[in-house]
Amino acid sequence: MADGPPTTLDPDDPQRWQQLRAFGHRILDEMFDHLEGVRERPVWQPMPDAAREALRRPLPRGPGDLSSAWRSLQDNVIPYTAGNTHPGFMGWVQGAGTPVGMLAELIAGGLNANVGGRNQAPVELEHQVSSWMAELFGFPQAARGIFVTGTSIANFMGVLVARTARLGRAVRARGLAPDEQKLRAYTSSEAHGCIAKAMDMAGFGTDALRRIGVDGAGRMRMDDLRAQVEADRSQGLQPFLVVGTAGTVNTGAIDPLPELADIAREQDLWLHVDGAYAALGMLAPSVAPLLQGIERADSLAFDFHKWGQVPYDAGYFMARDGADMLETFAAPAAYLRRAERGLAAGDAWPCDLGPDLSRGFRALKTWLTFQVYGADAIGRSISTTIALARALATRVKAEPELELLAPVALNVVCFRYVCADPERVNREIVLRLYDEGHVAPSSTELDGRYAIRAAIVNHRTSAAEIGLLVDAVLNAGRALTQPSKESPA
Ligand SMILES: Cc1ncc(COP(=O)(O)O)c(C=O)c1O
């Protein structure tokens, strides 16, 4: 044994433990103050150069002081996040988190469980969430699900599982044979960019992904899909996968899932559904019927960190038959051998079902969110976001200076200020809104037109923020097009 001072990172006497505990309580209190006071701060504010500069420090070689590190976080980090906890945040598709989710992160950090496997309760908790989700989505008993970072990775898993289901486990050793370069996958032109990325990462290349056109409501055209699959097959190509979207990123459109499932069966395609944010609409009685057909998917990707309000990150992948996940990801390794009893017991470990070996306890924050708030409360907050989006669309239609740019399927509203130079003016409106700090939509492009995009995902957003958004857009639009009419700030 080496002589010298102890090298444990724990406090070295009860008094230091006590000091750390007291400071921990203070941090917890201040984080509660932070959440309780979220409405009193701007949604977003730019990070000043001084704050950026303050963070640029060499690797500390010696011990530091927790209170000065905490002060640095309070001064230089906490005020300058993107703002998705704020009720005025409507940018992209992001959940807001909850105070209970924050506590769950504290507990998970304390337990520091590595949920790759082994005979431990955190694995059981993850199984429990998997059972809940199988029931929610109407999947059979054999279904399995696991947590990953987000839907981007879950969609990547979907492509890999579909590949192994088509080509057999041997593909994992030999890679794609020359003839297998003819495999083709299909998704809509409105699908998220991570589907193409998944095709790239899986070695198929993005050219092997066919983009099928959409109808006026942003849903994949089923006739075009069938025609493209048949045309490809007649040319000797090998269709193997179709990726449907439940809640497109631009407008929240849901592909016609029952027809998609019919075509997948008829054409022998694996059906993967990207339900990144809208799949959890199953929790809301008003949305669940729109998702009919999702129960026929072979695999499904979604996020608890969006409409589920679980803190980042909490992505999820499910297959209707967990055996397909094992075929794709399980790998024998002597150092992971299972024992008949004891710590190393258990059959399928989470590391057999996905790409990660070391995995955090993401299941805890999801489990605690359901335990404390209940699935119905999450469903109600989902319904509220939809009602708010409809109210926003109604207001936009009623304002002659505003134009709705896409039908509102769920909770995403795309619109713009009507003027002679809409591209420049609307772009500038969004930038002004960010500077003002009351509401923060994002933007997208629809049919070549720049759109202000309000994605109402946040359980804190209320009618007040919807009113603020419309007023702020009108105000900025008028100021930019008729400067003399600018209201005083
Ligand atoms: C439809 C869709 N798919 C995939 C993703 C990517 O999900 P994540 O950011 O969790 O990786 C998103 C993100 O908004 C999305 O809306």
Side-chain angles (χ1 to χ4, degrees):
M1 288 278 276
D3 287 333
T7 54
T8 173
L9 301 176
D10 283 336
D12 52 13
D13 66 39
Q15 198 191 349
R16 284 181 195 275
W17 270 108
Q18 188 51 41
Q19 284 164 355
L20 184 58
R21 177 192 298 257
F23 203 83
H25 287 178
R26 187 177 138 193
I27 291 178
L28 188 61
D29 273 343
E30 291 184 8
M31 284 311 295
F32 271 112
D33 289 345
H34 177 80
L35 285 185
E36 206 177 334
V38 67
R39 288 172 178 79
E40 288 144 31
R41 296 186 300 269
V43 181
W44 173 85
Q45 55 187 330
M47 191 176 177
D49 288 345
R52 240 177 261 280
E53 198 45 48
L55 293 179
R56 291 193 187 124
R57 293 283 178 270
L59 173 69
R61 304 298 309 204
D65 167 29
L66 180 55
S67 72
S68 43
W70 175 239
R71 196 166 328 109
S72 174
L73 287 173
Q74 285 181 310
D75 292 345
N76 305 313
V77 175
I78 291 175
Y80 308 115
T81 60
N84 54 304
T85 55
H86 193 285
F89 189 90
M90 305 164 188
W92 301 274
V93 177
Q94 299 195 16
T98 64
V100 166
M102 177 176 82
L103 292 177
E105 291 286 55
L106 177 80
I107 300 167
L111 289 178
N112 192 28
N114 178 346
V115 194
R118 289 155 287 272
N119 186 2
Q120 55 169 332
V123 172
E124 286 306 312
L125 213 70
E126 188 152 353
H127 284 337
Q128 175 61 75
V129 176
S130 171
S131 304
W132 287 342
M133 290 305 109
E135 196 182 326
L136 180 70
F137 289 105
F139 276 19
Q141 288 252 311
R144 287 295 289 271
I146 60 163
F147 282 91
V148 289
T149 42
T151 292
S152 301
I153 292 299
N155 283 332
F156 177 40
M157 289 172 69
V159 170
L160 292 174
V161 172
R163 175 209 62 174
T164 310
R166 170 56 58 102
L167 301 176
R169 198 186 169 108
V171 69
R172 294 176 55 189
R174 67 157 195 270
L176 289 178
D179 192 45
E180 291 160 358
Q181 309 285 349
K182 293 182 176 164
L183 288 166
R184 290 293 175 272
Y186 303 80
T187 198
S188 91
S189 53
E190 283 292 293
H192 195 271
C194 66
I195 309 292
K197 202 164 166 180
M199 290 293 286
D200 162 13
M201 293 193 296
F204 291 104
T206 54
D207 289 350
L209 179 66
R210 304 288 201 207
R211 297 297 202 133
I212 308 298
V214 295
D215 64 17
R219 297 170 307 183
M220 198 193 308
R221 287 185 188 277
M222 294 296 102
D223 290 350
D224 290 1
L225 170 65
R226 192 180 271 110
Q228 184 69 57
V229 169
E230 286 171 357
D232 283 348
R233 193 165 275 133
S234 70
Q235 296 200 354
L237 298 170
Q238 298 165 12
F240 82 110
L241 162 69
V242 61
V243 180
T245 305
T248 58
V249 63
N250 269 339
T251 66
I254 300 173
D255 285 338
L257 300 174
E259 289 96 313
L260 207 50
D262 288 344
I263 295 179
R265 190 187 308 129
E266 159 199 317
Q267 299 287 343
D268 191 23
L269 304 174
W270 182 274
L271 173 59
H272 173 77
V273 173
D274 173 0
Y277 84 88
L280 280 182
M282 289 299 283
L283 297 170
S286 61
V287 185
L290 306 176
L291 294 165
Q292 202 206 331
I294 205 165
E295 72 286 352
R296 293 171 63 192
D298 295 304
S299 55
L300 174 62
F302 65 94
D303 287 320
F304 287 99
H305 56 226
K306 292 187 164 95
W307 250 351
Q309 310 297 339
V310 172
Y312 283 86
D313 48 29
Y316 208 69
F317 175 80
M318 289 192 82
R320 70 185 299 104
D321 188 348
D324 288 311
M325 295 166 75
L326 284 171
E327 278 291 285
T328 308
F329 296 109
Y335 45 83
L336 293 175
R337 192 168 295 143
R338 312 298 141 88
E340 57 283 0
R341 62 187 172 81
L343 174 57
D347 41 12
W349 288 358
C351 66
D352 301 321
L353 300 167
D356 296 311
L357 174 55
S358 291
R359 311 169 62 250
F361 197 1
R362 294 187 184 103
L364 174 60
K365 55 192 171 183
T366 302
W367 182 87
L368 202 65
T369 297
F370 282 122
Q371 289 293 327
V372 176
Y373 298 106
D376 292 345
I378 307 286
R380 280 194 294 277
S381 83
I382 290 172
S383 299
T384 302
T385 61
I386 292 173
L388 290 171
R390 293 208 176 120
L392 172 56
T394 305
R395 174 92 199 268
V396 166
K397 284 191 218 156
E399 291 287 348
E401 292 156 280
L402 300 179
E403 180 186 10
L404 196 64
L405 293 180
V408 176
L410 291 171
N411 59 332
V412 182
V413 184
C414 293
F415 67 105
R416 66 177 178 176
Y417 187 80
V418 180
C419 57
D421 187 4
E423 171 82 23
R424 182 189 65 79
V425 169
N426 283 280
R427 201 177 282 280
E428 184 56 31
I429 289 174
V430 171
L431 295 180
R432 284 196 175 199
L433 262 44
Y434 294 160
D435 289 342
E436 288 165 9
H438 305 302
V439 285
S442 56
S443 64
T444 191
E445 201 180 290
L446 294 172
D447 298 327
R449 296 181 298 179
Y450 180 92
I452 300 174
R453 173 170 163 280
I456 324 289
V457 185
N458 188 323
H459 65 95
R460 297 191 177 107
T461 303
S462 69
E465 285 76 30
I466 300 299
L468 277 175
L469 172 68
V470 175
D471 294 345
V473 169
L474 287 172
N475 212 20
R478 287 170 193 155
L480 286 159
T481 53
Q482 317 151 29
S484 58
K485 289 197 186 163
E486 184 158 17
S487 311

